[in-house]
Amino acid sequence: MRDRFTLQNAKDFLQFNYEIRSIVQTIYSSDMQSAVYDAFYQVMMPQYGANAKECYQARFYSYGLFGLLDEWVKRGFKETPDEMVNILYQVMDDRNDN
């Protein structure tokens, strides 16, 4: 489970969605963004034998990455995937500054 949540995985997630952005935008224009989250959540959630921490961690990261994607879609994918990774790093660094 530990390897499931890395910044490289986040970068891969962002790159993938950027490559299929026309599909993602079509889903959003049909007001079906919950389908994107549901699919992502199914991939992120442990399928069996997970303890409470693993379940909470999966939920935390799936909502966090989906929230990042959601805002990116609504902003028209203006940033590149690499710029989004930099923003993610900044968000994570800000979290540690408090």
Side-chain angles (χ1 to χ4, degrees):
M1 186 65 139
R2 183 175 49 229
D3 295 330
R4 181 173 246 167
F5 307 110
T6 66
L7 288 174
Q8 182 59 49
N9 289 348
K11 182 177 182 175
D12 293 344
F13 169 76
L14 295 166
Q15 183 65 44
F16 172 75
N17 281 285
Y18 189 76
E19 290 172 5
I20 63 164
R21 63 189 175 276
S22 63
I23 295 169
V24 175
Q25 288 169 321
T26 298
I27 293 167
Y28 267 67
S29 67
S30 300
D31 200 27
M32 295 295 296
Q33 55 269 36
S34 63
V36 174
Y37 175 76
D38 289 343
F40 180 58
Y41 177 72
Q42 290 301 316
V43 170
M44 294 293 289
M45 277 308 288
Q47 298 301 311
Y48 54 89
N51 62 37
K53 178 189 175 267
E54 291 171 332
C55 291
Y56 286 120
Q57 184 181 41
R59 183 69 72 147
F60 176 82
Y61 281 103
S62 62
Y63 270 108
L65 284 176
F66 179 76
L68 197 64
L69 173 65
D70 186 60
E71 186 62 29
W72 194 26
V73 172
K74 290 174 181 176
R75 294 172 58 84
F77 288 94
K78 291 181 183 176
E79 296 82 9
T80 67
D82 287 335
E83 290 171 326
M84 290 301 296
V85 169
N86 288 335
I87 290 169
L88 178 58
Y89 275 112
Q90 291 171 4
V91 167
M92 298 302 287
D93 283 345
D94 288 348
R95 175 191 57 122
N96 292 324
D97 288 342
N98 295 327

